[in-house]
Amino acid sequence: MRTRLFLPTVWLALASLTHAAETVWLDALDLSQMTQGWGTPQTNRSIREQPLAIGGRKFERGVGTHAISTARMELDGGSERFLAFVGVDDNANGPASIVFKAIADGRILWQSGVMKPGDPAKAVDLDLRSVKTLLLQVGDAGDGVSYDHANWAEARFIVSGAKPRIVGVPVEPAIILTPKPGPAPLINGPTIYGCRPGNPFLYRIPTQGQRPMIFSASGLPRGLKLDSATGIITGSIAERGEYRLTLRAKNQHGRSSRPFKIVCGDTLSLTPSMGWNHWYAHYDRITDAMMREAADIMVSSGMADVGYQYVSIDDCWMNAARHQDPMRVGPLRDERGNIVPNKYFPDMKAMTAYIHAKGLKAGIYTSPGPRTCAGFAGSYQHEAQDAKQFAEWGFDLLKHDWCSYGQIARDDKSPDMFQKPYRLMGDLLKQQQRDILLNLCQYGMGNVWEWGAEVGAQSWRTSGDLGFELNNIFNVALKNAEHRAWSRPGSWNDPDYIQIGHIGNARVGGLPAPCPLTPTEQYSFMSLWCLMAAPLFYSGDLTQLDEFTLNVLCNPEVIEVNQDPLGQCARVIELDEATLIMVKDLADGAKAVGLCNRGEMETTVTARWADLGIKGKPRVRDLWRQKDLGRFAGEYRAIVPRHGVVLVKVK
Ligand code: GAL
């Protein structure tokens, strides 16, 4: 009797053990659903397509990836163990640093600590019984993703039931959160604006609501006039000083007014500049016709009615010595040394006039080196001539890159070698009889935030091209926010352009297609850039704007956080691995607060008033929904989706 009962039990146990012995290799799964910061996941070789090797040890099998990467695995209760060896690939050839993590149902199950090139492989052995969703992640250890070549070597699951599957990012519906603007006028835009005495003045009062509309202003300084039908202010102010205006607009549905202070002096861009830049949409395909179309759409889409103003051309408007498109090949300069636009730009002056006639401003691009990043003519040794030319053409902003200037700076041992080319251009631009903003694009070298304003720039990129790090916008934002001490009126840290809606693939300069960000991530992009007081330049395809993208770009209450006259970049309060609070003081005494979740799972985030320096029982307003949520004592908590930001104003 006893034996008869015992035997089948042993047999069953043995059978399940034999079953449990099935090994499923990570490299045998469908890796196409993995996300990573650079390249594509490799089977049984490193991201450089070399044999996998960690700390001198070779591995036959495994997955070669690149930070930041995630394999989201559905285990369906079938996996018992996960085994692997992890580390930086021996061919990384640079200062990599990575952290490997395994996150089980939203909880960190294991992490490697920081791993560097040459470190011996670390063994991973995880108990997965009862785990439903497992994330295998590679993070950048906080110093950016460069050289972060990461290997999951001999990675395998011991499976007793359903096989593990790599699945994509959960699909989210693109929900429009913001109510549509009504037909009555609503004046938006900054409440403070800087200009220089004697220079042409141009400002289109950003106003939502049905046209026709009648604009007026009280307190308009001498020298300026307002077109009552278009709301465009032009002219020139001779006298330095502060001028307090009230802007007004009315139509058959109602009226709106807004205070506006013009400070005529030395400082431009008293709030972050806003506009559109062609780069991430059109690369080396840009033409005069596309720039004019961009200006048309900036007005017709309503973007100009919430404050977008600059229509900016990036690289590739000049000639190159070699290019696949013969229309962009030609003499770099004429016999007098003047830079020559390529055949797609027959008349720069007419193009800026077209943009100006809409009340908008025009931006241009050059490099301090002999060539731009895309190999077109740069300004080296023609700086004065080019600055004068840009002003004569009628440009209002210059993006100044770095690119081939590296060759010149290499032999320059002087302590101010980073500043030199920008100080030169900054001084030259000030000499022009135009207000021309200077945006530096040298990726943060030499702590540019410390001296950017002093050399005459109003903004400077703080990192490399965000087009290459789109799965990493929180990291880029947090690095940018580290320089918050240098954020103030006329002085802005620039983490690069807003890339939502339709954008091209930055790696190959591809045609615009839907961006890789989820709807939540697109809202987060805008929320973070507004909290950081970053210049707000959309760099997607304006001809493919849809309702969702416009909704994200054009919420005036969110933009008001960006344009706040205090010019503060939000302070960051890290709560845990995944969640953080960003808090920004506003001029009206309120605070903009972002409850942020960088993690892969939805979670509750709590903003405690004590941490934020808030007393009493303040009112909380949801800025995306433009909705009051009530008064809250002690704290405000919200459920924040994966990679989400809940943006509120607390007063
Ligand atoms: C890069 C710059 C980009 C774009 C590009 C043009 O250096 O960061 O924003 O301007 O050059 O070639």
Side-chain angles (χ1 to χ4, degrees), residues 116-140:
K116 304 225 158 167
D119 286 352
K122 275 195 185 164
V124 190
D125 183 353
L126 309 176
D127 182 349
L128 295 182
R129 283 169 301 178
S130 80
V131 176
K132 287 198 187 76
T133 305
L134 176 73
L135 306 180
L136 297 177
Q137 283 192 321
V138 183
D140 70 355

Side-chain angles (χ1 to χ4, degrees), residues 289-608:
M290 289 159 88
M291 292 298 291
R292 291 175 194 239
E293 186 181 38
D296 293 346
I297 297 173
M298 197 175 274
V299 174
S300 65
S301 66
M303 286 177 71
D305 295 340
V306 293
Y308 293 91
Q309 196 181 22
Y310 290 85
V311 181
S312 283
I313 187 169
D314 207 279
D315 203 343
C316 309
W317 60 265
M318 331 72 172
N319 276 318
R322 267 178 305 278
H323 192 270
Q324 70 208 31
D325 181 351
M327 294 274 283
R328 295 184 199 271
V329 180
L332 306 189
R333 294 188 175 265
D334 68 14
E335 63 288 352
R336 277 165 292 136
N338 293 319
I339 192 156
V340 181
N342 66 44
K343 296 192 188 68
Y344 289 112
F345 293 90
D347 190 341
M348 283 294 202
K349 215 167 171 166
M351 186 182 87
T352 64
Y354 184 89
I355 294 170
H356 291 153
K358 295 175 182 292
L360 303 175
K361 298 184 180 183
I364 196 163
Y365 164 103
T366 190
S367 166
R371 297 285 177 274
T372 67
C373 292
F376 288 71
S379 288
Y380 184 57
Q381 291 182 328
H382 293 275
E383 295 83 358
Q385 206 169 2
D386 286 358
K388 194 159 157 271
Q389 180 69 273
F390 300 153
E392 274 173 19
W393 279 339
F395 284 99
D396 310 287
L397 177 154
L398 175 68
K399 170 174 173 179
H400 210 18
D401 214 317
W402 173 261
C403 308
S404 61
Y405 190 80
Q407 294 153 24
I408 288 143
R410 201 176 300 146
D411 305 321
D412 188 343
K413 301 278 176 285
S414 56
D416 68 338
M417 68 100 157
F418 280 126
Q419 286 92 321
K420 240 187 232 174
Y422 300 114
R423 194 186 301 281
L424 174 63
M425 190 51 87
D427 289 346
L428 286 164
L429 291 182
K430 270 183 229 156
Q431 290 163 25
Q432 311 306 317
Q433 258 116 53
R434 283 195 78 76
D435 290 350
I436 304 178
L437 301 189
L438 179 60
N439 169 239
L440 311 186
C441 177
Q442 48 83 289
Y443 333 112
M445 291 183 298
N447 294 348
V448 61
W449 39 88
E450 292 174 3
W451 48 263
E454 190 245 315
V455 301
Q458 287 74 28
S459 60
W460 37 86
R461 283 267 297 277
T462 52
S463 50
D465 287 13
L466 182 52
F468 302 128
E469 288 190 64
L470 277 182
N471 68 345
N472 204 3
I473 59 167
F474 277 92
N475 279 26
V476 172
L478 290 178
K479 285 202 81 176
N480 184 71
E482 284 172 15
H483 317 305
R484 61 186 295 271
W486 286 272
S487 175
R488 57 175 171 271
S491 155
W492 310 106
N493 295 307
D494 174 8
D496 209 357
Y497 306 130
I498 305 279
Q499 294 165 66
I500 64 174
H502 283 69
I503 57 165
N505 177 330
R507 267 172 235 297
V508 293
L511 285 168
C515 71
L517 302 174
T518 64
T520 299
E521 288 169 333
Q522 298 185 54
Y523 278 113
S524 297
F525 213 136
M526 195 69 183
S527 301
L528 294 168
W529 265 232
C530 288
L531 283 161
M532 292 188 298
L536 277 189
F537 277 74
Y538 179 51
S539 192
D541 184 358
L542 291 173
T543 68
Q544 296 192 64
L545 277 175
D546 51 34
E547 227 192 314
F548 175 80
T549 310
L550 270 172
N551 171 245
V552 178
L553 289 172
C554 292
N555 180 328
E557 293 195 22
V558 172
I559 291 173
E560 194 151 61
V561 172
N562 177 269
Q563 293 290 302
D564 186 79
L566 282 188
Q568 202 184 76
C569 167
R571 178 163 66 93
V572 176
I573 305 168
E574 306 243 12
L575 299 177
D576 59 37
E577 273 264 302
T579 64
L580 55 109
I581 304 286
M582 288 180 80
V583 52
K584 170 176 169 146
D585 293 342
L586 303 174
D588 66 358
K591 289 180 199 291
V593 180
L595 294 86
C596 309
N597 174 16
R598 316 162 65 181
E600 293 298 322
M601 303 286 175
E602 172 182 291
T603 186
T604 301
V605 180
T606 307
R608 275 177 220 89

